[in-house]
Amino acid sequence: MNVHDILQNPDEHVRFAAYLDKLGHVGDPDEVDLVSRVLTDPDRTMAQSAVLRHLDRRAAGLYPGPAYEEWARTMTQATIDRPFLAQRLREWSLFRAVTLKLPWQPGDLLASSNWLQLKTATGTNTEAVEILAEAGRTKRIRNAARAGLTHRSSSEARLRRRDVGDRHGLRAVTGTGAALRSPAPHRRSN
């Protein structure tokens, strides 16, 4: 079924599912054309929703690698007339910068959507999580960031205790907080 055939179906739920299927299987050379064609659907909200899911799925797989930048530029051109989609792509780029510890501005993070702030609040960049714990837009974002910091602090403390115990010949006993001296290996005398 091609996009023209999909457009002939009056049920937007069927079209949405068909678009997601097509977008999920499109090759890189045809992606921009397919995204552009999906966005011509008369139900603009449904079409934008299908493309948004596609962008989120692709960005999640691409952001760690070098292919992301060219893909994001190309998709930005394809979605230029859809401010929400263009914004999501910008936020994926900011998420990439924060996550990969590339240059980014705290003000950009604080001005971003709840979606990005919440996604970043549960991430691994301590500086970003601290900023969101203090000044995230919503209570949910601030709490998620604080929980991440608390979890990170307790994990780091456990690792430090284990490292200290290892250096002093101690082995931590899981769950009790106690430590036992590791037994010396038995040597036979001849």
Side-chain angles (χ1 to χ4, degrees), residues 96-118:
R96 178 177 193 264
V98 169
T99 303
L100 300 180
K101 296 186 171 44
L102 302 170
W104 59 279
Q105 296 298 315
D108 293 340
L109 181 59
L110 292 174
S112 68
S113 69
N114 291 355
W115 172 84
L116 178 61
Q117 287 191 12
L118 191 57

Side-chain angles (χ1 to χ4, degrees), residues 2-189:
N2 64 36
V3 174
H4 178 72
D5 293 337
I6 295 171
L7 282 167
Q8 302 309 311
N9 192 314
D11 185 340
E12 72 273 5
H13 297 96
V14 171
R15 292 197 317 274
F16 180 78
Y19 288 145
L20 287 180
D21 182 59
K22 285 283 189 199
L23 289 163
H25 293 94
V26 68
D28 290 350
D30 301 322
E31 185 178 19
V32 171
D33 182 54
L34 182 57
V35 165
S36 297
R37 293 185 71 195
V38 168
L39 290 174
T40 66
D41 191 284
D43 186 335
R44 291 178 53 92
T45 302
M46 180 274 302
Q48 182 169 288
S49 181
V51 170
L52 177 66
R53 279 209 198 169
H54 173 71
L55 296 178
D56 283 347
R57 182 184 59 78
R58 289 281 286 158
L62 289 172
Y63 85 85
Y68 173 82
E69 290 182 24
E70 180 59 31
W71 174 82
R73 274 192 292 279
T74 305
M75 286 298 108
T76 298
Q77 289 303 311
T79 60
I80 200 79
D81 294 333
R82 303 293 178 108
F84 181 75
L85 296 175
Q87 175 65 25
R88 180 59 66 94
L89 286 166
R90 284 190 299 276
E91 289 191 346
W92 269 108
S93 294
L94 179 55
F95 178 76
R96 178 177 193 264
V98 169
T99 303
L100 300 180
K101 296 186 171 44
L102 302 170
W104 59 279
Q105 296 298 315
D108 293 340
L109 181 59
L110 292 174
S112 68
S113 69
N114 291 355
W115 172 84
L116 178 61
Q117 287 191 12
L118 191 57
K119 188 169 185 60
T120 305
T122 59
T124 59
N125 185 316
T126 303
E127 178 186 2
V129 175
E130 286 173 346
I131 289 168
L132 293 171
E134 182 65 31
R137 177 177 294 115
T138 66
K139 187 174 184 178
R140 180 179 178 200
I141 292 165
R142 292 187 301 274
N143 286 341
R146 287 179 190 132
L149 290 172
T150 301
H151 176 73
R152 188 173 292 135
S153 294
S154 63
S155 294
E156 289 170 358
R158 276 194 306 276
L159 287 174
R160 280 192 301 274
R161 282 193 306 269
R162 188 178 71 199
D163 289 344
V164 167
D166 288 347
R167 282 195 301 263
H168 296 287
L170 302 173
R171 182 181 301 140
V173 177
T174 307
T176 65
L180 301 174
R181 190 163 293 283
S182 298
H186 177 67
R187 292 202 175 129
R188 291 180 98 175
S189 57

